[in-house]
Amino acid sequence: SHEAPQYVLDAFSKKTEASTQEMPTIGADNGLVLKDLKGLAFDDPKWDAFMDQFTMDEMIDYVANGAYRTMAVDRLGVPKTLLMDGPAGFSYFFKPVEAASFPSEIVIAATWNNDLAYRMGEAVGKEARAYGIQGWYAPGMNIHRTAQGGRNFEYFSEDPVLSGKIAASMINGAEDQGIIAFMKHFAMNDQETNARTGNLIWANEQAMREIYLKPFEITVKDSSPLGAMSSFSIIGTKWAGANSVLLNDVLRKEWGFDGFVSSDAVFGFMKAPAAVVAGNDLMLDIMTPSNNEKLLKEAYEKDSSGIANGVRTSVQHVLYTILQTYLFES
């Protein structure tokens, strides 16, 4: 079963107070399309005028329907994008993809060769351009805590510095081709057994910073990745995708990440209303995006300004990133 145990669900059932943020403008007609924002800083006032044009339904749909794609909003000049797995070359959840297969990340890390990692990322980026793909759900950068780790093949090493340096090189190669690379799974996704049923992960801050967060920190600082994927893990009692300390305070404010965050594949304890107010921008909801739409609309009825500002910021994070892809090369 993919249902979380009751003690996990209880951790997410606590009510929060309504937001005191001001309600943003919705549905304005300011005559702007996305390409008008190319090259502008995230906090440029023109972004506010552009984002004011979205309706609530558009923003909620955009966030909830983020599995392997981002949606088009034709009237605002927003193109759709295609996002695909995986760490050893492009693959797809639903059907085979005719794409190059690369050695697993363990093999790449064993070379200790940054140039080779760059060339692999570059090759994936070139393939993405040829196939009309804009995002790559890779590289995986969690830690080999044990040789029996069920997902070790997607991760580089037991060493956080080696993991971070090789990942940064691979991302530089891919993003130099104008695509979005999603470093994953942020964070503490170092056990595959029961990973999708609500694992509660406990660690002190020293261990987190020196081992489990270190590859991601190195990668952000050495390669400025455009994407990140949050993990299934519940760190303490907060799912990683609803953890503002992790996604906003550490990832964005402390390290300087300025791309967007997608969830991993959505299971029952991963709720969109909690995600959009904590720095997780898209829900990789393969099976039930309509449920997350419903949850967001219900949450909006209870806390209109909080949810409205959350989905607005999420959509802006994504659009700001898309503007840096090859779709908007001059």
Side-chain angles (χ1 to χ4, degrees), residues 5 65 71 83 90 106 119 165 218-220 224 252 261 267 277 282 286 289 315 318:
N65 290 277
M71 296 175 64
L83 317 173
F90 286 119
I106 299 173
R119 288 169 59 195
K165 291 295 185 180
I218 291 170
T219 300
V220 171
S224 299
R252 290 191 168 98
V261 179
F267 293 93
V277 298
L282 284 184
I286 305 166
V315 173
V318 179

Side-chain angles (χ1 to χ4, degrees), residues 124-273:
V124 172
K126 289 179 178 179
E127 191 171 40
R129 295 177 70 104
Y131 283 5
I133 300 167
Q134 289 77 41
W136 180 33
Y137 291 143
M141 324 168 28
N142 295 105
I143 294 296
H144 294 177
R145 295 184 69 246
T146 167
Q148 286 78 43
R151 213 162 178 175
N152 280 357
F153 67 96
E154 283 199 356
Y155 305 144
F156 291 107
S157 173
E158 74 279 12
D159 182 82
V161 175
L162 177 61
S163 299
K165 291 295 185 180
I166 296 291
S169 296
M170 192 175 290
I171 287 173
N172 280 334
E175 294 196 342
D176 281 353
Q177 296 299 312
I179 72 165
I180 304 163
F182 292 82
M183 60 177 193
K184 67 182 190 182
H185 304 87
F186 190 63
M188 313 290 283
N189 197 102
D190 308 276
Q191 173 182 315
E192 184 64 7
T193 302
N194 297 324
R196 294 156 184 80
T197 58
N199 269 340
L200 272 68
I201 309 299
W202 303 94
N204 63 36
E205 185 175 356
Q206 182 177 359
M208 290 175 70
R209 287 188 175 275
E210 291 184 356
I211 302 173
Y212 302 105
L213 299 185
K214 183 59 71 174
F216 297 95
E217 179 183 9
I218 291 170
T219 300
V220 171
K221 293 179 177 179
D222 287 4
S223 70
S224 299
L226 295 176
M229 180 182 286
S230 59
S231 72
F232 294 124
S233 298
I234 297 171
I235 301 171
T237 59
K238 282 193 175 182
W239 164 48
N243 193 321
S244 182
V245 173
L246 182 70
L247 301 181
N248 287 326
D249 293 348
V250 174
L251 179 63
R252 290 191 168 98
K253 294 177 184 176
E254 184 178 326
W255 296 346
F257 176 81
D258 65 355
F260 78 89
V261 179
S262 169
S263 76
D264 205 338
V266 173
F267 293 93
F269 59 94
M270 302 160 70
K271 307 295 188 185

Side-chain angles (χ1 to χ4, degrees), residues 49-66:
F50 176 73
M51 295 304 301
D52 287 350
Q53 300 175 119
F54 279 88
T55 67
M56 272 305 302
D57 283 347
E58 285 172 336
M59 291 189 289
I60 286 174
D61 289 350
Y62 199 89
V63 167
N65 290 277

Side-chain angles (χ1 to χ4, degrees), residues 70-84:
T70 65
M71 296 175 64
V73 184
D74 293 333
R75 69 182 187 86
L76 298 177
V78 176
K80 66 181 179 180
T81 68
L82 180 61
L83 317 173
M84 281 197 178

